[in-house]
Amino acid sequence: MIIYGNYRINVGAFRPFLTGYVQSATGRWLKFSFLVDSGADETFLHSRSIDILGIDVSRVEVKRDVEGVGGAGIPYFQWQTQLKLHSPDGIERIFGGEVNVFLDPHATRVPLLGRDVLDKFVTILDRGKNQVILLDKPDAYQLIKTE
């Protein structure tokens, strides 16, 4: 299985992105453009996702234990849903479980695809070729030394 993404301009720099789908509270699959964040332990959705996905936040447990470049203490909650990635040949990979959702609108403007998903693949980030590639069996890659 091969999943492709690419680099695009985001906040003045080229960054790696993939398209994924998140299941809403009503069961619909909604398209999201994820920043591939190999430094993030887990996947996080931006605060706008609450309205987009129809999440009821009246009973969520707010957590503040996330740390990043900006420091610690950013409020978020975990939400039970599914994430889906597509390959060009029509194969889907669905991940069930909890996804983190930031409550602070300044935490991130884009969803972050973290290592909780990335570690299930071989991840190739090739800025020179403008390619973001996730590989899973039976597909693989091999490096060839050129002179």
Side-chain angles (χ1 to χ4, degrees):
M1 172 180 208
I2 304 174
I3 298 168
Y4 293 100
N6 60 14
Y7 280 75
R8 67 173 212 235
I9 291 282
N10 174 260
V11 192
F14 281 97
R15 294 190 164 86
F17 279 86
L18 282 175
T19 298
Y21 297 82
V22 179
Q23 194 170 42
S24 73
T26 61
R28 291 183 52 220
W29 289 102
L30 300 177
K31 187 176 183 178
F32 282 79
S33 184
F34 286 90
L35 172 63
V36 176
D37 189 345
S38 63
D41 293 333
E42 298 178 356
T43 297
F44 278 84
L45 300 177
H46 51 57
S47 64
R48 293 186 323 275
S49 302
I50 296 167
D51 290 334
I52 293 168
L53 295 168
I55 301 171
D56 178 7
V57 295
S58 64
R59 296 186 187 153
V60 299
E61 177 187 341
V62 177
K63 298 183 175 199
R64 296 179 187 274
D65 59 353
V66 68
E67 294 184 27
V69 175
I74 302 169
Y76 74 97
F77 63 93
Q78 293 179 315
W79 185 57
Q80 191 74 28
T81 190
Q82 295 185 89
L83 172 72
K84 179 168 56 174
L85 300 175
H86 289 264
S87 72
D89 53 2
I91 299 172
E92 297 178 347
R93 181 91 180 261
I94 297 176
F95 305 90
E98 293 177 333
V99 173
N100 302 298
V101 183
F102 283 119
L103 288 164
D104 184 344
H106 303 295
T108 184
R109 293 182 177 161
V110 296
L112 308 174
L113 191 66
R115 287 194 322 275
D116 56 335
V117 173
L118 297 175
D119 284 353
K120 294 172 178 28
F121 297 91
V122 171
T123 302
I124 300 171
L125 304 175
D126 188 340
R127 172 67 183 97
K129 292 184 178 179
N130 189 31
Q131 292 184 334
V132 176
I133 302 170
L134 300 184
L135 291 172
D136 194 16
K137 293 176 184 174
D139 295 299
Y141 74 100
Q142 179 179 356
L143 298 177
I144 301 170
K145 184 176 179 180
T146 59
E147 300 300 321

